[in-house]
Amino acid sequence: MKNAHKGWDLPQIVFSLLFTTLMIVACFWVVQPFVLGFAWASMVVIATWPLMIKIQGWLWGRRSLAVVAMTLILLLLFIIPIAVLVNSLIENSGPVVAWATSKHLQLPELDWLRSIPLVGKKLASFWHNLVQGGGSALMASIQPYIGRTSGFLFAQAGHFGRFMMHLGVMLLFSVLLYWRGEQVGHGIRHFAYRLASRRGDAAVLLAGQAIRAVALGVVVTALVQGVLGGIGLAISGIPYATVLTVLMIFCCLVQLGPLVVLIPAIIWLYWSGDTTWGTVLLVWSCVVGTLDNVLRPMLIRMGADLPMILILSGVIGGLIAFGMIGLFIGPVVLAVSYRLVSVWVHEAPAPEEDPQDVVEELAEFDQEPR
C-alpha cells in the first residue's frame, strides 16, 4: 500500500532531530577532555602560521623540517618556560610565606605617621603593634584581605598536572595542525561556506585575524614585559626573582601591568639601603612599564583593530571561567564575536536622516486614526 500522505512526515523529522542531537552530544562527550587543548593549539598555530611558512621557505620547502623546527620553538620558548615557571611558583610559595612570617622580617618604625591629622595616632599605634610582632603579625593582619585572592591564584597554579596535560595536548595538536594546516583550514572554510555561503567563509577569515591580533597583542606583550622585568629583578639582586617573574607575567596577562611587582621591589631595595640598584631598577621599571603602550597597540593592529576594553574583559572573564587557559581563550572568543557582529552590522548602511525628523515621523504615525 502506497503512502497517500505527501506532506511533512512529522515523526521522521522529530526522530531525525533527536538522533542528530544525540550524536552531537555523544561526540562532544568523547572529545571534551581535548577541547581546551585543541582550542589552545588552534590559537597558537593560527598566530604562528606566517612564521612557519617563512621557516619552511628557509628549509628548502620541506614541511617536515618546518614542523620539527616549530615544535622545537614551542618547546623552548613556550612550553618549557611555562612549566618551569609554574613549577617554581609552586615550590617557592612555601619558603616565601615562611620568610614573611619569620622574625627576620624587620619593619621600619615610621614615626612620621603620628603627624597625620585625625588618624595619625591610630595608624601609628597599629604600625607599632606590627613592628613588635614582626612578620607573623604582618601576615596575620593582611591575611583577611589577601586570603581569597592568593587562595584563588595558588589553586589555579596547584592544578599543575592538569595544566601540564593541556600543554601536552596543545603540543600534539599543534604538530598535527602544522602538518595539515591547509587541509584543516580548507575544511573549516568549506563547512562555513556550506553553513552560511560567502558570509560564513568571511566569518572564518575574520576569526583568524582576531585570533592573531589577540595572540600578538596580549600574550606577546605580557611575555616581553614579564621577561624584561624579571631580568631587571635578577640583576638588581631581588630574591625569588623567578617567582616574581611568574607573578609579573600573570599581572600583564590580566592587564594590571608589571609595576604591581616592580614598585614593591624598588621600595624594598631603598628600604634595605641599596640605593644604587634601587635607582637602576626604578629607571628600568619606567621603561618596562610603558612598553605596553607602544607594543600592544602595534601588535594588535597587525591582526585586527580591536578595542582594549574588549581584550581586558576577555582576559578577566576567561580567567574566571576557564582558569589559566582562559587567559588565552577568553579574549579570543570576545574578539571573534565582536568582529562577526561588527561585520554584520556594517553590511547595512548607517542611518543618515536627522534624528528629530525620525522622531516626528513616528509621532505623526502614532497620531493617525486607526
Side-chain angles (χ1 to χ4, degrees), residues 32-262:
Q32 183 181 4
F34 312 104
V35 169
L36 291 178
F38 181 78
W40 201 357
S42 301
M43 290 183 289
V44 170
V45 171
I46 291 174
T48 59
W49 185 259
L51 176 61
M52 199 275 292
I53 296 299
K54 290 183 179 180
I55 293 177
Q56 180 177 343
W58 296 338
L59 297 176
W60 310 283
R62 298 286 298 275
R63 174 58 60 87
S64 58
L65 296 178
V67 172
V68 172
M70 290 303 301
T71 303
L72 293 176
I73 290 175
L74 289 180
L75 282 171
L76 295 176
L77 301 181
F78 191 71
I79 294 180
I80 292 179
I82 289 180
V84 171
L85 292 178
V86 174
N87 187 43
S88 176
L89 177 63
I90 296 174
E91 290 182 353
N92 294 324
S93 59
V96 170
V97 175
W99 172 80
T101 57
S102 66
K103 297 296 183 179
H104 298 289
L105 182 61
Q106 299 296 328
L107 302 177
E109 292 294 336
L110 300 184
D111 294 330
W112 53 268
L113 289 175
R114 298 182 182 276
S115 60
I116 300 178
L118 300 179
V119 296
K121 293 183 178 179
K122 293 184 178 180
L123 289 177
S125 176
F126 174 75
W127 185 256
H128 180 72
N129 293 332
L130 289 181
V131 172
Q132 295 298 322
S136 300
L138 177 62
M139 292 299 296
S141 300
I142 66 176
Q143 184 63 35
Y145 303 99
I146 67 172
R148 294 182 179 180
T149 302
S150 61
F152 173 76
L153 296 179
F154 287 118
Q156 296 297 326
H159 299 294
F160 185 64
R162 187 177 64 180
F163 185 72
M164 291 302 299
M165 185 195 71
H166 286 306
L167 280 177
V169 172
M170 184 272 289
L171 181 63
L172 176 61
F173 280 123
S174 297
V175 172
L176 298 176
L177 290 175
Y178 280 133
W179 184 258
R180 297 294 181 185
E182 291 86 357
Q183 292 86 339
V184 174
H186 181 74
I188 295 175
R189 291 184 61 186
H190 191 185
F191 177 78
Y193 191 87
R194 181 66 179 86
L195 193 65
S197 187
R198 291 178 60 87
R199 182 178 296 177
D201 188 21
V204 172
L205 298 178
L206 291 174
Q209 293 179 3
I211 291 173
R212 187 169 291 117
V214 170
L216 291 175
V218 176
V219 180
V220 174
T221 302
L223 290 176
V224 170
Q225 284 188 293
V227 171
L228 291 179
I231 292 173
L233 293 176
I235 294 176
S236 302
I238 299 296
Y240 303 105
T242 305
V243 179
L244 295 177
T245 301
V246 176
L247 182 59
M248 196 158 20
I249 293 176
F250 179 82
C251 292
C252 293
L253 285 173
V254 299
Q255 308 303 303
L256 294 178
L259 297 180
V260 177
V261 177
L262 292 174

